[in-house]
Amino acid sequence: MTDLLYSEAEDDLRAAVRSLLADRCDAAAVLTRAESDTPYDPALWASLATDMGLAGLLVPEKLGGQGATHREAAVVLEELGRSVAPTPYLTGAVVAAETLLGCHAETAENPASPEAAAVAELLGALAGGRTVVALAVPLSAAPGARVPRAVRAADGSLDGRVTAVADAAAAKVLLVPAEDGLYAVETGPPGVTVESLTPLDLTRPLATVVLDGARGRRLAGSADVPVRRGLLAGAGLLASEQLGLAEWCLEETVRYTRDRKQFNRPVGSFQALKHRMAQLWLEVVSARAAARNAADALATGSPDVPLAVAVAQTYCSRVAVHAAEECVQLHGGIGMTWEHPAHLYLKRAKSDAIAFGAPGRHTQAVAGLVGLPAPQ
């Protein structure tokens, strides 16, 4: 029987991450960063990725990582969601890491090949927090969807254009799908241009990646399986980020309506608001079950991973948006201001709802996997 409860080690990990974020990534710090040209705090990322070793949670120890599972990574993402932390954890330590692990599995039969050596080197650098890696596909790309691919010229260089790539501006290395494989392309040399966009969610920057004669190292002979693996893990663990976001919104709303008084009584004592918050609590509890199930399925390599991930995204995306909307509305006038962090959570929830496939796409996936007609 699957145990979805948190282990003692997971609780300890949560406490450590929450303590760091409370000290270094409070609402005021996030707002300040969101208004600047550098939304990421390099010192915070170094603490998370290197000092705590979180960048390498999913990477096996023999490749320089921590050898943990998706359950531990899910706990980290819950805490990052609670603080809408502007870090490239989901895109780098999860999606890029899983994509590289897919390449590693493909090259395992020939460990002496140049591709195997390049994958191992890049995994070690990612796990050690020495570099930030991003998969050069649109944030909205769903697992199994056709993603843009670069064209390989006769001289071996890569040409192409991909828009809405999350965290590309922070990445030192891009994983670029091409028709003849997957390539690692550094963002510094000529031939690679990263054009920043203005996203709805300022805590997760988007950019357009333009390749014009770019040089890269080949990591795998086919991009399909590694990219699908990365996007599937990203969609599954995104549910944990959405869970953390929804939990913060519910807790903050309950706290505010308990303290805020109107007509000489707490706002939260009004029956209509009690019902709304009780309903939201039920949704958050159900979202926790769906998110934990997806993380556990990924951790154990269950054959039901595609179904668990699709169910989690179908449900958790909607719960996160609903929780953020209720947080804004039940805070009244102050919830509509820039100074209050509620808008950060609403924007993150809306952005997450289209990341790695919209809820409707995942609903169709669920219907196909269980053999039922999808709602129209």
Side-chain angles (χ1 to χ4, degrees), residues 3-276:
D3 183 6
L4 301 184
L5 298 178
Y6 298 99
S7 68
E8 184 178 349
E10 289 167 352
D11 286 336
D12 291 342
L13 175 61
R14 178 192 308 283
V17 175
R18 184 175 296 188
S19 176
L20 175 66
L21 293 175
D23 183 52
R24 305 272 292 279
C25 193
D26 59 9
V30 175
L31 281 168
T32 300
R33 283 280 169 186
E35 294 178 303
S36 70
D37 295 330
T38 56
Y40 292 140
D41 181 351
L44 173 63
W45 177 241
S47 297
L48 289 167
T50 306
D51 298 344
M52 298 185 69
L54 301 183
L57 279 182
L58 298 179
V59 179
E61 291 184 32
K62 65 179 182 180
L63 295 173
Q66 304 299 319
T69 72
H70 299 80
R71 289 175 61 114
E72 287 79 17
V75 169
V76 174
L77 280 164
E78 285 180 34
E79 294 307 308
L80 295 176
R82 287 180 66 92
S83 60
V84 287
T87 67
Y89 187 83
L90 177 64
T91 53
V94 175
V95 177
E98 282 287 340
T99 303
L100 288 170
L101 288 172
C103 296
H104 177 72
E106 182 177 310
T107 58
E109 295 181 358
N110 189 10
S113 66
E115 290 85 357
V119 170
E121 178 186 346
L122 195 50
L123 272 171
L126 184 154
R130 298 189 298 275
T131 190
V132 177
V133 185
L135 179 61
V137 301
L139 178 61
S140 60
R146 175 73 178 179
V147 299
R149 296 172 185 263
V151 176
R152 191 162 179 263
D155 62 355
S157 63
L158 297 169
D159 299 316
R161 180 185 180 91
V162 188
T163 191
V165 179
D167 298 327
K172 302 300 182 184
V173 178
L174 296 172
L175 304 180
V176 179
E179 293 297 340
D180 64 335
L182 187 71
Y183 289 82
V185 177
E186 295 184 7
T187 57
V192 183
T193 303
V194 178
E195 304 170 350
S196 296
L197 303 173
T198 302
L200 171 65
D201 176 16
L202 296 176
T203 64
R204 179 164 286 151
L206 302 178
T208 296
V209 175
V210 180
L211 306 177
D212 185 9
R215 296 289 175 177
R217 294 179 296 171
R218 190 178 183 186
L219 303 175
S222 173
D224 293 339
V225 174
V227 169
R228 185 179 187 278
R229 175 171 173 168
L231 294 178
L232 190 64
L237 295 188
L238 174 64
S240 293
E241 178 182 288
Q242 292 165 325
L243 168 62
L245 184 154
E247 286 181 334
W248 183 92
C249 289
L250 174 59
E251 292 172 11
E252 178 62 20
T253 302
V254 170
R255 183 202 62 78
Y256 179 79
T257 56
R258 183 180 61 239
D259 296 341
R260 176 82 165 109
K261 288 185 171 58
Q262 199 167 48
F263 305 113
N264 204 32
R265 58 185 291 193
V267 172
S269 67
F270 291 104
Q271 193 73 5
L273 299 192
K274 284 183 178 181
H275 282 298
R276 286 171 66 170

